[in-house]
């Protein structure tokens, strides 16, 4: 297979980044980073203990006064330098992400890494624009204004599907607003989060502002969320784990931001551009091997287009090239692990009892049999209340169902507990306008599905969580809004005092 990123020498000092340096974990337990394309171990590291979390939080707490006291311009300058360092190291980041995740190099090179560089550049600018309501005499006798102040130490947890981008989404708005942070990535994918933190140090961001602990969720993750010196938690991951994070965070009255699971509907009306919708469905359902909480998972297609749509999607899926993530012609890499591959296969195998697997539905053999690969899969004939329609599969699986009226299509799109993302496909602006208003989701694309941009918010509703990543809206998560009010009268005995004591 292709020339892979070499790990061991770069992280010989350990996989914890605390106070500006790498160090080993102290749990006494090792964890193996597996290349999902080959099944081979590429790095072994010592997991963090709760003591390592305490050390990381202490480093962040010590760094907070200096970083919070820096001017917005100083934080902005540091983040601009950070973006430049990331851009210089783009190839390394892409190769490391492809190695630990199995993503095709063309995806990490053209999506994950440039997106992260752009996020960093965006927050470098946003750091100077912490907005508040204009100062004014709202009461007549007082001048009021709003301050946005950093919260303190943020303890965040990121998932394995987009390790680099999720590290950036957690870290950047927090530090741009003047907070310090301890991030726990997924144990499966520690590499690019560590590289991200090291790049921040090399860019001149002070030691302790960004810290990384790699450890088990049930010990290290829960200790981080419940730590008394952590004032806020941001978590991205599954809805069941999000519920547990919420239990721990609310017990200590922490601010909480949750970006959880999704089951995005892909709503195709009968006047849609069929070719555009079919191409969009394949790309949006297969991105990152379907391991994307915004991926298209439920295609609802108005009945006049249904047969042509499913035939075209099946043909396009069959043209997708599975292969070595480092080969230039590979379209689809493996899933994150054999366990995840088997979980996806279980959904599909159970669906054979009540639906039709039109294409895919199997792991390839041959040169790919050692990897966690699974073929692009299209399922039809499933009932709306079936498992494959209602549950988050997190693999390269699209379920297509027909609908008749616009009312029915929108109702079906809303008929899951989730509300993260959706798309509507039509040439009729009134139809798509209605869909954007009535579909319950944090993002609704029109005649496209998946693109994200730094300037716009990302986040869901209902069982998909609450709060926003990216954009200036993310500062709502990471700043405290303080009202300051000055008396302008210099009158000792004010009229309103008489409502409490004395006479006019």
């Amino acid at each position: 297979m292709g020339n892979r990123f070499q790990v061991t020498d770069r992280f010989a000092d350990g996989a914890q980044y605390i106070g500006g340096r790498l160090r080993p974990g102290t749990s006494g337990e090792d964890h193996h980073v597996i290349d999902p394309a080959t099944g081979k171990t590429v790095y072994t590291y010592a997991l963090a203990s709760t003591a390592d979390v305490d050390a990381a939080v202490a480093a962040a707490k010590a760094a907070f006064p200096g970083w919070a006291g820096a001017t917005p311009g100083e934080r902005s300058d540091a983040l601009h330098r950070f973006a430049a360092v990331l851009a210089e190291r783009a190839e390394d980041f892409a190769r490391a992400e492809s190695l630990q995740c199995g993503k095709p190099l063309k995806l990490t090179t053209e999506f994950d890494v440039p997106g992260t560089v752009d996020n960093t550049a965006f927050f470098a600018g946003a750091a100077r624009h912490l907005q508040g309501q204009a100062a004014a005499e709202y009461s007549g006798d007082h001048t009021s204004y709003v301050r946005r102040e950093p919260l303190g130490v943020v303890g965040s947890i990121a998932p394995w599907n987009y390790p680099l981008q999720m590290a950036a989404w957690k870290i950047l708005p927090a530090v741009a607003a003047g907070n310090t942070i301890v991030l726990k990535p997924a144990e499966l994918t520690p590499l690019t989060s560590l590289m991200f933190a090291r790049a921040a140090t090399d860019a001149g961001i002070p030691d302790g502002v960004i810290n990384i602990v790699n450890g088990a969720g049930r010990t290290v993750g829960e200790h981080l969320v419940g730590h008394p010196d952590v004032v806020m938690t941001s978590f991205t991951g599954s809805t069941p784990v999000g519920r547990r994070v919420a239990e721990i965070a609310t017990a200590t009255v922490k601010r909480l931001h949750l970006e959880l699971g999704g089951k995005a509907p892909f709503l195709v009306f009968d006047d849609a551009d069929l070719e555009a919708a079919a191409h969009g469905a394949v790309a949006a359902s297969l991105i990152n091997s379907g391991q994307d909480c915004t991926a298209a998972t439920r295609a609802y297609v108005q009945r006049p287009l249904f047969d042509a749509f499913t035939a075209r999607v099946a043909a396009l899926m069959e043209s997708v090239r599975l292969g070595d993530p480092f080969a230039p012609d590979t379209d689809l890499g493996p899933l994150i692990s054999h366990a995840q591959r088997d979980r996806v296969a279980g959904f599909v195998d159970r669906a054979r009892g009540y639906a039709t697997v039109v294409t895919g539905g199997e792991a390839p053999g041959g040169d790919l049999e050692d990897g966690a690969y699974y073929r692009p899969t299209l399922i039809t004939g499933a009932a709306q209340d079936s498992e494959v329609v209602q549950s988050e599969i997190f693999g390269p699986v699209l379920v297509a169902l027909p609908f008749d009226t616009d009312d029915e299509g929108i109702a079906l799109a809303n008929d899951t507990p989730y509300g993260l993302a959706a798309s509507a496909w039509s040439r009729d602006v009134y139809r798509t306008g209605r869909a954007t208003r009535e579909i319950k989701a944090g993002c609704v694309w029109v005649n496209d599905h998946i693109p994200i941009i730094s300037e716009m918010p990302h986040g869901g509703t209902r069982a998909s969580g609450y709060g926003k990543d990216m954009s200036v809206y993310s500062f709502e998560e990471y700043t405290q809004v303080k009202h300051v009010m000055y008396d302008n009268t210099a009158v000792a005995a004010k009229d309103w005092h008489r409502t409490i004591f004395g006479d006019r």
Side-chain angles (χ1 to χ4, degrees), residues 313-397:
V313 166
L316 289 170
M317 282 186 167
E318 289 163 7
S319 74
V320 171
R321 300 164 296 186
L322 280 68
D324 175 11
F326 290 85
D329 60 348
T330 292
D331 295 323
L332 195 70
L335 280 80
I336 189 65
S337 67
H338 287 81
Q340 180 64 14
R341 191 269 312 275
D342 293 345
R343 178 180 179 276
V344 171
F347 276 101
V348 177
D349 290 343
R350 290 189 295 275
R352 296 181 197 277
Y354 57 80
T356 299
V357 177
V358 178
T359 190
E362 63 182 3
D367 293 342
L368 302 180
E369 64 182 353
D370 292 334
Y373 291 88
Y374 199 76
R375 295 194 185 281
T377 300
L378 175 65
I379 296 174
T380 61
Q384 176 65 17
D385 62 356
S386 64
E387 180 187 48
V388 289
V389 175
Q390 293 293 322
S391 299
E392 189 173 31
I393 299 172
F394 228 55
V397 179

Side-chain angles (χ1 to χ4, degrees), residues 19 61 152 160 171 240 302 330 341 386 502:
K61 185 177 180 180
W160 48 255
I171 291 169
Q302 208 149 25
T330 292
R341 191 269 312 275
S386 64

Side-chain angles (χ1 to χ4, degrees), residues 4 20 33 45 173 250 298 300 369 394:
R4 280 166 156 64
V33 178
Y45 68 94
T250 53
R298 300 177 290 139
Y300 295 105
E369 64 182 353
F394 228 55

Side-chain angles (χ1 to χ4, degrees), residues 267 298 300 384 406-416 438:
L267 186 60
R298 300 177 290 139
Y300 295 105
Q384 176 65 17
D406 290 15
D407 288 349
E408 181 190 9
I410 291 172
L412 290 169
N414 285 329
D415 186 27
T416 72
E438 296 186 12

Side-chain angles (χ1 to χ4, degrees), residues 189-438:
T189 54
L191 304 181
T192 48
S193 298
L194 294 168
M195 294 167 64
F196 191 74
R198 177 183 276 171
T201 299
D202 292 345
I205 292 177
D207 294 349
V209 172
I210 299 172
N211 306 274
I212 309 292
V213 290
N214 281 293
R218 289 190 177 275
T219 53
V220 166
E222 294 197 2
H223 188 66
L224 176 62
V225 173
H227 198 288
D229 289 332
V230 169
V231 298
M232 176 191 164
T233 290
S234 177
F235 170 80
T236 296
S238 71
T239 298
V241 178
R243 292 192 185 101
R244 175 60 181 158
V245 169
E247 289 174 4
I248 299 169
T250 53
T252 51
V253 199
K254 286 178 171 54
R255 183 174 294 194
L256 184 60
H257 167 215
L258 298 173
E259 200 265 88
L260 306 177
K263 191 69 179 174
F266 188 99
L267 186 60
V268 183
F269 294 103
D270 57 14
D271 65 338
D273 182 322
L274 176 62
E275 195 68 8
H279 277 81
V282 172
S285 62
L286 301 185
I287 185 171
N288 201 31
S289 296
Q291 299 167 129
D292 186 311
C293 49
T294 63
T297 60
R298 300 177 290 139
Y300 295 105
V301 186
Q302 208 149 25
R303 202 171 298 275
L305 285 186
F306 184 78
D307 290 342
F309 175 86
T310 53
R312 187 64 178 128
V313 166
L316 289 170
M317 282 186 167
E318 289 163 7
S319 74
V320 171
R321 300 164 296 186
L322 280 68
D324 175 11
F326 290 85
D329 60 348
T330 292
D331 295 323
L332 195 70
L335 280 80
I336 189 65
S337 67
H338 287 81
Q340 180 64 14
R341 191 269 312 275
D342 293 345
R343 178 180 179 276
V344 171
F347 276 101
V348 177
D349 290 343
R350 290 189 295 275
R352 296 181 197 277
Y354 57 80
T356 299
V357 177
V358 178
T359 190
E362 63 182 3
D367 293 342
L368 302 180
E369 64 182 353
D370 292 334
Y373 291 88
Y374 199 76
R375 295 194 185 281
T377 300
L378 175 65
I379 296 174
T380 61
Q384 176 65 17
D385 62 356
S386 64
E387 180 187 48
V388 289
V389 175
Q390 293 293 322
S391 299
E392 189 173 31
I393 299 172
F394 228 55
V397 179
L398 177 66
V399 183
L401 300 89
F403 70 92
D404 291 304
T405 67
D406 290 15
D407 288 349
E408 181 190 9
I410 291 172
L412 290 169
N414 285 329
D415 186 27
T416 72
Y418 299 103
L420 185 57
S423 63
W425 297 73
S426 171
R427 292 183 173 93
D428 186 329
V429 67
Y430 297 103
R431 269 180 150 175
T432 57
R434 179 190 176 191
T436 62
R437 292 190 301 273
E438 296 186 12

